Amino acid sequence: MPEHDTETRFVLPRALWRRAWAAGRDGLYPSRCTLCLEPAPSGICHGCARDLRRNAHPCATCAQPLPVDGACPACQRNPPALDAVWVPFTYAWPLSQMLLRFKNGGRASLRRPLAGLLADHLVPEATQGVDRVLPVPLHAQRFAERGFNQAEQLAATLCRVRGLHLDATRARRVVATPSQQGLGRRLRKTNLLRAFVVDGDLSGQRILLVDDVMTTGTTLNALALEVRRAGASWVGAVALARA
């Protein structure tokens, strides 16, 4: 009579394995700067934070870096759906690598330094008078693959530090759009047509959207349009880095 394998096998989603492995690995260096390993309770030391490339003279409504303060030609020709945008850093090394490892490499420990950078370096006027904060949502399929929403994690820390109301379930991504990477502005807009749904009435409210990286602003503007359809009187946006 043949023997039967009675071993019980448990299969966890790939995202959970990545997060568990990263948590064990990163736990070896608690309270250390993620870049230089110097003591840093916030996850990144002041010296490394100073060395990150700042977004100087950004356009007020798309955060595109400019030679001088003002609005960029594209926003002057076609005003975006956003009333104001604040992005403190540019998407350059080493911040770009930190964001990639956080989103795609399972480096859960990077949430603390990245979220801290946004909360610490975002100008006070970006959050003044805001009624609620909406992180850019992920489609359910992408969330299952990644295991978390990076925009929501950044927004949660920002809300805790600034005393804001996080509303992480009001906006939903209902279309699993292909990756925006490598697409031009026009294709990005087409890619995101009706990708978002905003539930409930936001009449008269000031809404702040949060994302990790802003490239052309197409994603944030597509969500802003839906927030305006829900009645919001003002829609701003923040991101950690501008590509």
Side-chain angles (χ1 to χ4, degrees), residues 62-110:
C62 78
Q64 176 69 35
L66 300 173
V68 295
D69 292 336
C72 72
C75 288
Q76 291 183 46
R77 290 192 302 268
N78 298 298
L82 291 161
D83 291 294
V85 175
W86 295 271
V87 184
F89 299 99
T90 60
Y91 191 71
W93 189 90
L95 182 58
S96 57
Q97 292 304 306
M98 292 171 65
L99 284 162
L100 284 173
R101 290 173 181 172
F102 176 49
K103 289 198 296 185
N104 302 323
R107 291 289 300 274
S109 67
L110 291 174

Side-chain angles (χ1 to χ4, degrees), residues 115 118 133-135 150-160 166 210:
L118 181 61
V133 174
L134 275 60
Q150 70 280 359
E152 182 177 342
Q153 295 201 356
L154 296 179
T157 297
L158 179 64
C159 289
R160 185 171 65 252
L166 177 64
V210 176

